[in-house]
Amino acid sequence: MKLRPLHDRVIVKRLEQETKTASGIVIPDAAAEKPDQGEVLAVGAGKRNDRGDLIALNVKVGDRVLFGKYSGQTVKVDGDELLVMREEDLFAVVEK
């Protein structure tokens, strides 16, 4: 990847949402909601506290995370739509 986030920012790629319900009904793209889960592609070095110490991030590359539907700033890189957001905008890490 050609992006390296700064400070406490992370780069997330939205995961594709199911287009079919459990009962087999197909949901058209126009009616589908934005996915609220994604995979972390890159993380920044961390944030500095008042004393200047670096505080490392709690997420790492490859983590599956939950975030708000309208969180982050959308950017296009190599044809992929990615989100750049602060770590504090993430709600949780999805454990496998």
Side-chain angles (χ1 to χ4, degrees):
M1 177 188 306
K2 297 178 179 155
L3 287 179
R4 182 175 53 92
L6 300 175
H7 308 293
D8 63 336
R9 289 182 173 80
V10 295
I11 298 182
V12 177
K13 182 174 184 178
R14 285 188 195 268
L15 295 176
E16 296 300 320
Q17 199 154 15
E18 291 291 325
T19 58
K20 194 182 280 191
T21 65
S23 61
I25 298 172
V26 177
I27 302 170
D29 288 339
E33 292 183 1
K34 287 184 176 181
D36 57 357
Q37 289 189 26
E39 180 182 356
V40 176
L41 299 180
V43 296
K47 194 174 189 176
R48 297 217 178 256
N49 64 12
D50 295 336
R51 293 181 290 168
D53 299 328
L54 190 65
I55 301 171
L57 300 181
N58 292 317
V59 296
K60 60 187 181 304
V61 174
D63 280 350
R64 188 174 183 165
V65 293
L66 291 176
F67 51 87
K69 292 192 185 303
Y70 303 103
S71 296
Q73 178 66 42
T74 304
V75 294
K76 278 202 170 195
V77 177
D78 298 332
D80 290 331
E81 195 170 286
L82 306 175
L83 292 170
V84 179
M85 62 180 70
R86 292 186 177 273
E87 183 189 33
E88 64 191 27
D89 294 336
L90 300 174
F91 297 147
V93 175
V94 178
E95 300 290 337
K96 294 181 182 178

